[in-house]
Amino acid sequence: CVGGQLAYRGAAAGTVEAAVAYYGGGIQNALDLADKVTQPILFHYAENDQPIPLDAVEQVKGAFAGRGNASFHVYPD
């Protein structure tokens, strides 16, 4: 999940042209950076991931709602 967090932070810093965050644990605690992410970003989460509950995923989705640059994939089970 540290790689997912780094991808998100790299996007927020503007150091990448696109980002893919796999299981970015803790991103929901850094949503103050979401407005800085202007490039395409893809988030991957697992439906039954104990360390990253779905309410955390929903918080991240909410921060990117209506912006058009973020896609989310939640793997079932």
Side-chain angles (χ1 to χ4, degrees):
C1 65
V2 121
Q5 180 81 240
L6 290 173
Y8 172 72
R9 289 180 178 274
T15 58
V16 297
E17 292 184 28
V20 180
Y22 286 94
Y23 306 100
I27 290 175
Q28 76 278 6
N29 299 323
L31 294 178
D32 57 317
L33 301 175
D35 287 340
K36 296 179 180 182
V37 179
T38 58
Q39 62 279 76
I41 186 164
L42 173 60
F43 294 92
H44 290 266
Y45 291 103
E47 185 177 65
N48 293 326
D49 189 355
Q50 300 269 339
I52 308 171
L54 284 179
D55 65 320
V57 176
E58 292 303 319
Q59 290 176 43
V60 179
K61 282 183 176 181
F64 284 90
R67 299 202 23 221
N69 66 323
S71 297
F72 289 83
H73 184 82
V74 179
Y75 296 91
D77 299 324

